[in-house]
Amino acid sequence: HTVFFDEAQAFKNPLTQTARTVKKIQATNRFALTGTPIENSLAELWSLYRVIFPQLFGALEEFKHMQRKDISRRVRPFLLRRMKEDVLLELPGKEETHEFSELLPEQKALYAAFLAKLREDTMKQLDQETFQQNNIRILAGITRLRQICCHPALFVEGYKGSSAKFEQLLQILEESRLSGRRVLIFSQFTKMLQIIAKE
């Protein structure tokens, strides 16, 4: 008589097969649990309520013309929301570990050469009048230096060597795998994620 839809954002798009399928589940009481009831548009909220409480709103076209305050007023009695401050005490403390890695010799040589060129180019063109025009070029140069630190293959075409940071990451991943831990990897550079995925 009761159904709980966990991760209900899976049917936030009313046109998907998932949304059509969950509507067919028969139950007297329906609940949806989601951390992201709305990500892109209010229509996603409509899709969720279409499954758990179809009488609350009319058709989608009707819903699209409703005022936000009217939508909010209708939804409020049927929405339980946990705020961050309510759950902070239940969350484990954040642990941070800082790992340092020394550049590999070929990386270090590449870094030093690029840094010397960047300095030379900057000093040639840098005075009070041209600083504003060149700050984008300087920031781009700093980004290149960061890429060399991550993995020179990020911008050096055909680079065959490795990277200290990359090797260290592989070691951390192997240790995590052996101890049964799962890992989430972030990088500002999507190409770096591609290199990691390939490995």
Side-chain angles (χ1 to χ4, degrees):
H1 61 80
T2 301
V3 61
F4 287 88
F5 296 107
D6 196 10
E7 301 297 344
Q9 70 275 4
F11 54 87
K12 68 183 181 183
N13 180 345
L15 304 175
T16 62
Q17 187 175 348
T18 304
R20 289 194 301 268
T21 303
V22 294
K23 279 183 205 167
K24 294 176 185 173
I25 297 173
Q26 297 297 310
T28 307
N29 306 302
R30 298 163 160 261
F31 296 89
L33 308 170
T34 176
T36 50
I38 305 171
E39 285 183 287
N40 301 309
S41 76
L42 271 176
E44 295 172 352
L45 189 67
W46 177 87
S47 183
L48 295 178
Y49 275 97
R50 196 67 177 172
V51 172
I52 58 168
F53 192 176
Q55 302 85 0
L56 190 62
F57 298 114
L60 183 55
E61 277 309 308
E62 214 177 295
F63 176 81
K64 284 180 179 176
H65 292 96
M66 285 181 72
Q67 296 290 319
R68 285 177 178 255
K69 64 178 189 326
D70 293 333
I71 294 169
S72 178
R73 190 173 37 79
R74 279 198 202 180
V75 166
R76 192 169 290 120
F78 308 104
L79 184 68
L80 293 173
R81 185 170 178 215
R82 295 176 78 193
M83 305 300 282
K84 186 177 178 182
E85 53 270 18
D86 299 332
V87 296
L88 271 179
L89 296 174
E90 299 172 28
L91 298 174
K94 182 168 75 170
E95 286 183 34
E96 282 189 29
T97 306
H98 295 270
E99 301 277 347
F100 297 92
S101 48
E102 182 76 23
L103 295 179
L104 296 178
E106 65 267 26
Q107 240 184 318
K108 197 177 278 190
L110 190 59
Y111 186 95
F114 190 84
L115 179 60
K117 182 170 179 1
L118 182 62
R119 275 193 184 137
E120 184 185 326
D121 292 350
T122 303
M123 295 314 275
K124 273 185 205 170
Q125 301 168 354
L126 196 61
D127 59 40
Q128 290 298 328
E129 287 81 43
T130 60
F131 180 74
Q132 283 302 327
Q133 297 161 6
N134 289 303
N135 63 358
I136 296 295
R137 186 177 294 151
I138 294 165
L139 288 172
I142 292 169
T143 299
R144 291 292 188 216
L145 291 171
R146 289 181 59 232
Q147 287 177 321
I148 292 170
C149 291
C150 285
H151 201 301
L154 292 178
F155 96 103
V156 177
E157 199 67 42
Y159 181 81
K160 298 294 181 206
S162 189
S163 142
K165 193 173 182 179
F166 181 64
E167 296 297 327
Q168 190 173 15
L169 173 67
L170 294 180
Q171 184 181 343
I172 291 168
L173 288 175
E174 182 59 17
E175 289 167 5
S176 299
R177 188 185 67 79
L178 291 172
S179 63
R181 288 182 307 181
R182 296 181 342 169
V183 177
L184 187 58
I185 301 170
F186 293 94
S187 175
Q188 182 183 353
F189 307 112
T190 54
K191 194 172 175 187
M192 185 69 186
L193 293 172
Q194 290 166 5
I195 292 169
I196 294 165
K198 186 178 176 192
E199 183 66 27

